[in-house]
Amino acid sequence: MDGGTDRLYTHITHGPTSSANLFTSPLPSSSHQNQVLVFFGILYCGHVYICALVAALELLLFRELVKVRYNTFFHIIEETIPLFRTTQWMWFAVAIFYTYSDFVVEVIKSNTNLHYLLIYAQLQTPLAFTLYSGTFVLTIATMQTGHIKFQLNQLCWTIVVLCLTVGQLKYIMHNVYNGLIWFTLPILLVIINDVMAYVAGMTCGRKFIQRPFVQLSPNKTWEGFIGGWFFTVIASWYLSRFLVKFTWMTCPTNEFRLLPVPLTCDIDPVFHEATSIIPTQVFELFPSVLVTMIPGVVNVCSVDGNTSLLTACVSGESTHAHHHFELVLKGVFPMQIHAISLAMFASLVAPFGGFLASAIKRAYGVKDFDSIIPGHGGVMDRMDCQFLMALCTWVHYNTFVKMATVSVPKMIYMYNLLKESDQVEFLEKITEMASEAGLEG
């Protein structure tokens, strides 16, 4: 789903097998179209199938990354280190079990219709710890005296791979169930950045800045990086405005359904048109010359140094001194503001996931991580920028959108865990608080 690691920000076309071909070829091939159709088909099928897709991608990503070192050091591993691959996959199984079972438990807690499963959900933590302990013991028990250093290096590599894949994708299921827009929009922003960085690199690469963008990939250019950022931010504004029109995108859910059904919900205010006031502190991060170029920005001045008397600045007025900038947006969806934040991350930070993938391939002397996608490489070649983007989306959502993590179903779940005397005290306190707030009736 991400274009990737070798042709971004370049002005030179290296051929049809380059790793950025998936969404960046000037003339999309039938394989490109098929992959896009499969993605949107799964998106239409619903949340369960999207999570299944993520799990399958995690499996393939883990396989590709551990295989890099396995192929390189096969002469050491063969007939020397017992259960080498077995222990690696056991670590992956433990990570997947903990990640998905923890998510399922959260869904069960948030859905009163599923509370009958809580007796089983409470076994998730001890079972995950048991699997972890067993894998840990087996890993240490299979260490060989003459290869301990190598095996410790391999264990560290396995843990790093799990952090890159399962760790960063742990919360992508939460993004899916918080509303498909939090899954779809970030993916599309990374793709748009990939495409536009390629186009900007091809048309303007090294015409203004001769210095290579990063030493890892000398062909990448500053023009491509800046062009990708510029067009991604613009696209995020209009793409988010389009997606908020569909309840299939905006409505959260806490149900596991195998067949897609229309979603209905109380639309979150973030998906309603509103008047938004941009915090003045935001403009302080940028040079005044750039801020004044933004349409609609008002330069507010103090009069005669009196900060309690503020007015719009008048050019040439000697009594006016700049105080701050203001920008009021009318008829704008708050989601569009959030989309710009995500676009900034997708274009300025997420690409470094692709640079890391390039570094790994250079270190082990491989062109692509795999050949599972004919003509394009492996899943890692497509997904290298999506890991960090998914994690950023979850952090952004919980920090700026849905800061409260307590819901009525979760409160009911916690209430049922209380002792009978504590339940009585809890009800008394709730009744008292409702009476004080005038909510009784």
Side-chain angles (χ1 to χ4, degrees), residues 126-332:
L127 185 54
F129 181 72
T130 300
L131 292 174
Y132 168 80
S133 301
T135 303
F136 182 84
V137 170
L138 182 62
T139 301
I140 304 304
T142 55
M143 286 191 172
Q144 303 295 300
T145 304
H147 301 285
I148 292 178
K149 184 176 181 179
F150 170 77
Q151 288 182 281
L152 288 175
N153 287 336
Q154 189 62 31
L155 177 61
C156 291
W157 174 247
T158 302
I159 294 173
V160 167
V161 170
L162 289 174
C163 290
L164 288 175
T165 55
V166 181
Q168 291 191 109
L169 293 177
K170 170 178 168 58
Y171 296 105
I172 197 169
M173 285 83 71
H174 295 77
N175 295 342
V176 171
Y177 276 77
N178 286 335
L180 285 176
I181 193 171
W182 301 106
F183 170 79
T184 307
L185 180 62
I187 289 177
L188 295 179
L189 291 179
V190 171
I191 294 172
I192 291 170
N193 181 71
D194 195 18
V195 173
M196 299 313 301
Y198 169 67
V199 172
M202 282 194 64
T203 56
C204 303
R206 303 225 167 87
K207 292 183 179 179
F208 303 97
I209 305 175
Q210 296 297 321
R211 183 179 178 179
F213 179 65
V214 289
Q215 295 299 323
L216 284 172
S217 300
N219 288 326
K220 294 178 173 63
T221 66
W222 281 97
E223 290 86 348
F225 185 76
I226 296 171
W229 162 76
F230 178 77
F231 288 106
T232 302
V233 170
I234 293 177
S236 69
W237 182 262
Y238 296 100
L239 181 60
S240 58
R241 189 177 183 90
F242 171 74
L243 292 177
V244 298
K245 298 177 181 179
F246 305 97
T247 57
W248 185 247
M249 286 283 140
T250 58
C251 282
T253 184
N254 55 10
E255 298 178 343
F256 299 108
R257 293 183 179 272
L258 296 180
L259 296 176
V261 296
L263 294 178
T264 57
C265 64
D266 293 329
I267 303 299
D268 192 282
V270 76
F271 303 123
H272 287 293
E273 279 189 311
T275 298
S276 301
I277 301 176
I278 307 301
T280 58
Q281 294 83 352
V282 172
F283 302 115
E284 296 176 3
L285 301 175
F286 304 96
S288 299
V289 176
L290 293 179
V291 174
T292 55
M293 296 172 62
I294 301 175
V297 167
V298 176
N299 188 5
V300 178
C301 289
S302 60
V303 179
D304 291 328
N306 185 359
T307 56
S308 61
L309 183 58
L310 301 176
T311 184
C313 295
V314 177
S315 179
E317 178 58 55
S318 59
T319 60
H320 287 188
H322 170 75
H323 188 267
H324 67 271
F325 290 105
E326 281 187 2
L327 178 59
V328 179
L329 301 176
K330 297 182 178 180
V332 170

Side-chain angles (χ1 to χ4, degrees), residues 7 12 15 40 66 99 103 107 114-115 134 146 163 175 177 205 212 257 259 264 266 268 283 341 368 378 423 427:
R7 270 202 330 177
I12 302 173
F40 283 105
V66 297
T99 298
F103 167 69
V107 174
L114 299 177
H115 278 189
C163 290
N175 295 342
Y177 276 77
R257 293 183 179 272
L259 296 176
T264 57
D266 293 329
D268 192 282
F283 302 115
S341 299
D368 294 312
Q423 289 179 344
L427 291 175

Side-chain angles (χ1 to χ4, degrees), residues 163-172 175 182 186 342 345 385-399:
C163 290
L164 288 175
T165 55
V166 181
Q168 291 191 109
L169 293 177
K170 170 178 168 58
Y171 296 105
I172 197 169
N175 295 342
W182 301 106
L342 294 176
F345 192 92
C385 299
Q386 297 288 359
F387 305 141
L388 200 55
M389 191 68 223
L391 184 58
C392 167
T393 303
W394 180 81
V395 172
H396 180 92
Y397 178 85
N398 284 278
T399 304

